[in-house]
Amino acid sequence: MNTTPWCALIATMAGVACGAGAQRAETPYWKITYKGAGQLVVQQNVMPRIEPMVDAASNFTHWLFQSVPTNLPAYGVSDAGHALIWVLNGDAKGRLKITPNRAQHAGAVQYFSIICSNSDMKSISVRLSAGSMFGTGVPLAGPTWSPFGGGVTEFGMIVCDGDAGTISFNCDLWGTLVYANSIRTLRLKNAYLSCVLTGMPTRREPVLVAGSVTNQNVLMFTGGAIDTIVARRIIATPITVGAPLLNGYMDEMPGVYTLHPPGGAIGSLTAKELRGMGIYGDGRWMTTEQFIPNPNTMILSTSVERQHVKRIVTENTSVYIHD
């Protein structure tokens, strides 16, 4: 895993020494527990900036992770600026759990993001209050653009530059990015306008989209795997396994992903419903990599070995499955 070594810098900022064992931190809205060999650091009133770094030949070298100060309010609460939860130099036994801080606030209205840098993770768990819905005072939500272009994100994300065992939510995802090299198990209720990406970046390059559109400066991926996905409804949420997200037309995607095939498989996909909202232009359904939230549902992998999907609402071709 090649990432910028932030441990010394952030430990100095946060006043926390690198060490093993159970570590706990909290904000006025959240309680965070980490058990593992790495270091837990929590920063408030900052947003993450993530950029894939490449060399002169456009080959991927490492992830650049930074925290950018901000005082932007969340849901109109002026003292609830974005929080950034770091796990640094963790091992594959690491467990991270986030729950509301009921002792200080009845409602958890603070956005947060998670970056696991130079870390594998056994589990990442977000446990919210019963009945919580994104968009009504819950984190991990809001509009943004692709974080892999080096922009500061204005929404919650979970980014792990290593392998993740179980990533689980007892709630919905709305406008959320989940990324790791590979994920053994992903569990959630519903996913809306979100994105699940796995795989290792390899390089940036232009990509021809089957005769009509050329995508410039595309971040290519390889490898990756998702053993199990369990959800209720997956709506307007791309799921990619070692595959780039591209701009183009849906009817050209089979040809595109034959030229640029995904790198890994999905073992099992269980969902009550897959549904896309889609983008329509020039008389054709289109894809986009520009925004998360993303209005398409695309599942890009070498295979989906076991599918247990009761209903697929295609809305013409706004749901695309490549396996």
Side-chain angles (χ1 to χ4, degrees):
M1 292 172 288
N2 296 314
T3 55
T4 301
W6 288 100
C7 185
L9 172 62
I10 296 178
T12 300
M13 293 169 57
V16 179
C18 293
Q23 301 169 57
R24 294 177 174 83
E26 63 180 60
T27 78
Y29 297 91
W30 301 107
K31 289 187 175 181
I32 304 103
T33 302
Y34 172 70
K35 296 180 180 181
Q39 180 194 9
L40 172 67
V41 176
V42 178
Q43 295 178 287
Q44 295 196 75
N45 298 314
V46 298
M47 288 185 177
R49 182 179 186 269
I50 299 177
E51 186 170 3
M53 305 303 292
V54 298
D55 60 20
S58 296
N59 295 310
F60 174 82
T61 58
H62 63 280
W63 290 108
L64 176 66
F65 297 143
Q66 294 178 311
S67 58
V68 178
T70 181
N71 294 315
L72 293 179
Y75 294 109
V77 182
S78 60
D79 63 344
H82 198 115
L84 182 52
I85 300 167
W86 297 83
V87 173
L88 304 169
N89 304 315
D91 62 357
K93 297 180 180 180
R95 297 173 178 267
L96 180 68
K97 184 176 181 180
I98 296 96
T99 59
N101 189 345
R102 302 179 191 277
Q104 296 197 42
H105 288 279
V109 298
Q110 183 181 40
Y111 290 114
F112 68 85
S113 292
I114 299 169
I115 296 180
C116 302
S117 174
N118 196 38
S119 299
D120 294 315
M121 295 294 293
K122 183 172 184 178
S123 67
I124 300 171
S125 176
V126 178
R127 312 300 294 177
L128 300 182
S129 303
S132 295
M133 296 180 62
F134 289 146
T136 57
V138 183
L140 298 173
T144 186
W145 54 92
S146 172
F148 298 131
V152 177
T153 64
E154 297 181 7
F155 77 126
M157 66 168 70
I158 294 177
V159 172
C160 177
D161 62 10
D163 298 319
T166 299
I167 301 178
S168 64
F169 308 83
N170 68 339
C171 55
D172 299 344
L173 300 186
W174 192 310
T176 305
L177 170 71
V178 177
Y179 168 76
N181 283 354
S182 68
I183 300 172
R184 189 179 73 242
T185 302
L186 175 63
R187 295 182 180 275
L188 61 137
K189 288 187 176 179
N190 304 296
Y192 305 98
L193 295 164
S194 296
C195 195
V196 178
L197 286 80
T198 64
M200 172 63 74
T202 57
R203 57 181 285 107
R204 285 199 178 276
E205 62 182 61
V207 175
L208 179 67
V209 177
S212 63
V213 179
T214 298
N215 286 233
Q216 300 291 340
N217 202 31
V218 175
L219 184 62
M220 307 298 291
F221 291 83
T222 189
I226 304 176
D227 289 352
T228 302
I229 302 173
V230 180
R232 292 179 183 172
R233 304 172 76 209
I234 298 175
I235 299 176
T237 298
I239 300 172
T240 73
V241 184
L245 281 172
L246 301 171
N247 295 319
Y249 295 107
M250 280 286 190
D251 56 12
E252 294 177 341
M253 288 300 104
V256 172
Y257 287 107
T258 297
L259 295 173
H260 307 282
I266 296 173
S268 175
L269 170 62
T270 300
K272 291 184 177 180
E273 180 177 289
L274 300 180
R275 179 189 293 263
M277 295 169 60
I279 296 176
Y280 197 71
D282 299 326
R284 302 165 74 180
W285 288 94
M286 305 173 69
T287 73
T288 179
E289 51 78 37
Q290 295 294 330
F291 299 100
I292 300 172
N294 193 303
N296 300 301
T297 289
M298 296 185 293
I299 299 174
L300 307 173
S301 65
T302 56
S303 64
V304 181
E305 297 174 10
R306 297 178 300 280
Q307 269 192 65
H308 308 283
V309 180
K310 292 184 177 181
R311 186 183 184 205
I312 298 178
V313 182
T314 59
E315 194 168 325
N316 288 342
T317 55
S318 62
V319 173
Y320 173 69
I321 300 176
H322 178 95
D323 63 355

